[in-house]
PDB file of all heavy atoms in Angstrom:
ATOM      1  N   PRO U 344      34.718   4.857  39.635  1.00  0.00           N
ATOM      2  CA  PRO U 344      34.653   6.131  38.904  1.00  0.00           C
ATOM      3  C   PRO U 344      33.901   5.950  37.587  1.00  0.00           C
ATOM      4  O   PRO U 344      33.867   4.885  37.003  1.00  0.00           O
ATOM      5  CB  PRO U 344      36.129   6.470  38.663  1.00  0.00           C
ATOM      6  CG  PRO U 344      36.830   5.145  38.693  1.00  0.00           C
ATOM      7  CD  PRO U 344      36.081   4.299  39.673  1.00  0.00           C
ATOM      8  N   ALA U 345      33.278   7.013  37.133  1.00  0.00           N
ATOM      9  CA  ALA U 345      32.498   7.002  35.892  1.00  0.00           C
ATOM     10  C   ALA U 345      33.435   7.143  34.711  1.00  0.00           C
ATOM     11  O   ALA U 345      33.766   8.254  34.287  1.00  0.00           O
ATOM     12  CB  ALA U 345      31.471   8.128  35.893  1.00  0.00           C
ATOM     13  N   THR U 346      33.931   6.034  34.223  1.00  0.00           N
ATOM     14  CA  THR U 346      34.858   6.040  33.092  1.00  0.00           C
ATOM     15  C   THR U 346      34.287   5.164  31.993  1.00  0.00           C
ATOM     16  O   THR U 346      33.511   4.236  32.237  1.00  0.00           O
ATOM     17  CB  THR U 346      36.246   5.515  33.497  1.00  0.00           C
ATOM     18  OG1 THR U 346      36.099   4.192  34.020  1.00  0.00           O
ATOM     19  CG2 THR U 346      36.869   6.406  34.558  1.00  0.00           C
ATOM     20  N   THR U 347      34.686   5.437  30.789  1.00  0.00           N
ATOM     21  CA  THR U 347      34.256   4.672  29.617  1.00  0.00           C
ATOM     22  C   THR U 347      35.475   4.070  28.954  1.00  0.00           C
ATOM     23  O   THR U 347      36.422   4.781  28.624  1.00  0.00           O
ATOM     24  CB  THR U 347      33.510   5.574  28.606  1.00  0.00           C
ATOM     25  OG1 THR U 347      32.409   6.170  29.284  1.00  0.00           O
ATOM     26  CG2 THR U 347      33.017   4.758  27.433  1.00  0.00           C
ATOM     27  N   SER U 348      35.474   2.771  28.790  1.00  0.00           N
ATOM     28  CA  SER U 348      36.603   2.061  28.200  1.00  0.00           C
ATOM     29  C   SER U 348      36.235   1.659  26.788  1.00  0.00           C
ATOM     30  O   SER U 348      35.224   0.986  26.562  1.00  0.00           O
ATOM     31  CB  SER U 348      36.922   0.811  29.039  1.00  0.00           C
ATOM     32  OG  SER U 348      37.952   0.071  28.416  1.00  0.00           O
ATOM     33  N   LEU U 349      37.043   2.071  25.845  1.00  0.00           N
ATOM     34  CA  LEU U 349      36.838   1.714  24.446  1.00  0.00           C
ATOM     35  C   LEU U 349      38.030   0.921  23.952  1.00  0.00           C
ATOM     36  O   LEU U 349      39.176   1.243  24.260  1.00  0.00           O
ATOM     37  CB  LEU U 349      36.657   2.974  23.584  1.00  0.00           C
ATOM     38  CG  LEU U 349      35.413   3.813  23.898  1.00  0.00           C
ATOM     39  CD1 LEU U 349      35.384   5.040  23.005  1.00  0.00           C
ATOM     40  CD2 LEU U 349      34.159   2.994  23.723  1.00  0.00           C
ATOM     41  N   GLN U 350      37.751  -0.092  23.202  1.00  0.00           N
ATOM     42  CA  GLN U 350      38.804  -0.980  22.713  1.00  0.00           C
ATOM     43  C   GLN U 350      39.298  -0.478  21.368  1.00  0.00           C
ATOM     44  O   GLN U 350      38.520  -0.320  20.432  1.00  0.00           O
ATOM     45  CB  GLN U 350      38.259  -2.405  22.567  1.00  0.00           C
ATOM     46  CG  GLN U 350      39.300  -3.415  22.128  1.00  0.00           C
ATOM     47  CD  GLN U 350      38.695  -4.790  22.011  1.00  0.00           C
ATOM     48  OE1 GLN U 350      37.482  -4.934  22.077  1.00  0.00           O
ATOM     49  NE2 GLN U 350      39.539  -5.783  21.830  1.00  0.00           N
ATOM     50  N   CYS U 351      40.602  -0.191  21.262  1.00  0.00           N
ATOM     51  CA  CYS U 351      41.182   0.322  20.027  1.00  0.00           C
ATOM     52  C   CYS U 351      42.452  -0.453  19.714  1.00  0.00           C
ATOM     53  O   CYS U 351      43.088  -1.015  20.607  1.00  0.00           O
ATOM     54  CB  CYS U 351      41.510   1.814  20.140  1.00  0.00           C
ATOM     55  SG  CYS U 351      40.058   2.849  20.426  1.00  0.00           S
ATOM     56  N   LEU U 352      42.831  -0.469  18.473  1.00  0.00           N
ATOM     57  CA  LEU U 352      44.052  -1.122  18.036  1.00  0.00           C
ATOM     58  C   LEU U 352      45.137  -0.078  17.824  1.00  0.00           C
ATOM     59  O   LEU U 352      44.870   1.035  17.366  1.00  0.00           O
ATOM     60  CB  LEU U 352      43.782  -1.873  16.716  1.00  0.00           C
ATOM     61  CG  LEU U 352      42.719  -2.980  16.807  1.00  0.00           C
ATOM     62  CD1 LEU U 352      42.480  -3.567  15.422  1.00  0.00           C
ATOM     63  CD2 LEU U 352      43.139  -4.054  17.802  1.00  0.00           C
ATOM     64  N   PRO U 353      46.391  -0.402  18.177  1.00  0.00           N
ATOM     65  CA  PRO U 353      47.468   0.582  18.002  1.00  0.00           C
ATOM     66  C   PRO U 353      47.725   0.849  16.533  1.00  0.00           C
ATOM     67  O   PRO U 353      47.693  -0.044  15.696  1.00  0.00           O
ATOM     68  CB  PRO U 353      48.663  -0.087  18.673  1.00  0.00           C
ATOM     69  CG  PRO U 353      48.358  -1.559  18.602  1.00  0.00           C
ATOM     70  CD  PRO U 353      46.880  -1.676  18.737  1.00  0.00           C
ATOM     71  N   GLY U 354      47.962   2.116  16.248  1.00  0.00           N
ATOM     72  CA  GLY U 354      48.280   2.478  14.868  1.00  0.00           C
ATOM     73  C   GLY U 354      49.772   2.600  14.696  1.00  0.00           C
ATOM     74  O   GLY U 354      50.327   3.701  14.733  1.00  0.00           O
ATOM     75  N   GLY U 355      50.532   1.509  14.527  1.00  0.00           N
ATOM     76  CA  GLY U 355      51.990   1.530  14.447  1.00  0.00           C
ATOM     77  C   GLY U 355      52.492   2.284  13.232  1.00  0.00           C
ATOM     78  O   GLY U 355      53.480   3.032  13.310  1.00  0.00           O
ATOM     79  N   ARG U 356      51.848   2.116  12.099  1.00  0.00           N
ATOM     80  CA  ARG U 356      52.312   2.783  10.878  1.00  0.00           C
ATOM     81  C   ARG U 356      52.167   4.295  11.019  1.00  0.00           C
ATOM     82  O   ARG U 356      53.054   5.051  10.593  1.00  0.00           O
ATOM     83  CB  ARG U 356      51.495   2.282   9.691  1.00  0.00           C
ATOM     84  CG  ARG U 356      51.949   2.852   8.353  1.00  0.00           C
ATOM     85  CD  ARG U 356      51.254   2.136   7.209  1.00  0.00           C
ATOM     86  NE  ARG U 356      51.689   2.648   5.922  1.00  0.00           N
ATOM     87  CZ  ARG U 356      51.122   3.664   5.295  1.00  0.00           C
ATOM     88  NH1 ARG U 356      50.082   4.266   5.847  1.00  0.00           N
ATOM     89  NH2 ARG U 356      51.585   4.101   4.132  1.00  0.00           N
ATOM     90  N   LEU U 357      51.090   4.773  11.620  1.00  0.00           N
ATOM     91  CA  LEU U 357      50.915   6.200  11.802  1.00  0.00           C
ATOM     92  C   LEU U 357      51.939   6.761  12.765  1.00  0.00           C
ATOM     93  O   LEU U 357      52.454   7.877  12.578  1.00  0.00           O
ATOM     94  CB  LEU U 357      49.492   6.473  12.318  1.00  0.00           C
ATOM     95  CG  LEU U 357      49.123   7.944  12.531  1.00  0.00           C
ATOM     96  CD1 LEU U 357      49.260   8.725  11.237  1.00  0.00           C
ATOM     97  CD2 LEU U 357      47.715   8.063  13.096  1.00  0.00           C
ATOM     98  N   ASP U 358      52.285   5.987  13.801  1.00  0.00           N
ATOM     99  CA  ASP U 358      53.315   6.458  14.745  1.00  0.00           C
ATOM    100  C   ASP U 358      54.656   6.638  14.044  1.00  0.00           C
ATOM    101  O   ASP U 358      55.389   7.615  14.298  1.00  0.00           O
ATOM    102  CB  ASP U 358      53.454   5.466  15.903  1.00  0.00           C
ATOM    103  CG  ASP U 358      52.212   5.451  16.790  1.00  0.00           C
ATOM    104  OD1 ASP U 358      51.463   6.445  16.743  1.00  0.00           O
ATOM    105  OD2 ASP U 358      52.024   4.456  17.509  1.00  0.00           O
ATOM    106  N   ARG U 359      55.023   5.705  13.176  1.00  0.00           N
ATOM    107  CA  ARG U 359      56.301   5.833  12.465  1.00  0.00           C
ATOM    108  C   ARG U 359      56.307   7.048  11.539  1.00  0.00           C
ATOM    109  O   ARG U 359      57.322   7.743  11.416  1.00  0.00           O
ATOM    110  CB  ARG U 359      56.567   4.549  11.663  1.00  0.00           C
ATOM    111  CG  ARG U 359      56.857   3.325  12.549  1.00  0.00           C
ATOM    112  CD  ARG U 359      57.417   2.176  11.711  1.00  0.00           C
ATOM    113  NE  ARG U 359      56.466   1.712  10.711  1.00  0.00           N
ATOM    114  CZ  ARG U 359      55.571   0.756  10.930  1.00  0.00           C
ATOM    115  NH1 ARG U 359      55.503   0.168  12.121  1.00  0.00           N
ATOM    116  NH2 ARG U 359      54.735   0.378   9.976  1.00  0.00           N
ATOM    117  N   LEU U 360      55.190   7.320  10.901  1.00  0.00           N
ATOM    118  CA  LEU U 360      55.137   8.504  10.031  1.00  0.00           C
ATOM    119  C   LEU U 360      55.265   9.789  10.841  1.00  0.00           C
ATOM    120  O   LEU U 360      55.947  10.741  10.419  1.00  0.00           O
ATOM    121  CB  LEU U 360      53.818   8.499   9.247  1.00  0.00           C
ATOM    122  CG  LEU U 360      53.661   7.395   8.196  1.00  0.00           C
ATOM    123  CD1 LEU U 360      52.269   7.465   7.578  1.00  0.00           C
ATOM    124  CD2 LEU U 360      54.730   7.540   7.119  1.00  0.00           C
ATOM    125  N   VAL U 361      54.644   9.829  12.029  1.00  0.00           N
ATOM    126  CA  VAL U 361      54.743  11.027  12.866  1.00  0.00           C
ATOM    127  C   VAL U 361      56.175  11.208  13.358  1.00  0.00           C
ATOM    128  O   VAL U 361      56.726  12.325  13.358  1.00  0.00           O
ATOM    129  CB  VAL U 361      53.756  10.921  14.040  1.00  0.00           C
ATOM    130  CG1 VAL U 361      53.983  12.071  15.030  1.00  0.00           C
ATOM    131  CG2 VAL U 361      52.315  10.950  13.524  1.00  0.00           C
TER     132      VAL U 361
END
Side-chain angles (χ1 to χ4, degrees):
T346 58
T347 303
S348 176
L349 295 178
Q350 183 180 10
C351 298
L352 299 176
R356 183 170 181 271
L357 182 59
D358 292 339
R359 292 193 297 271
L360 292 176
V361 172

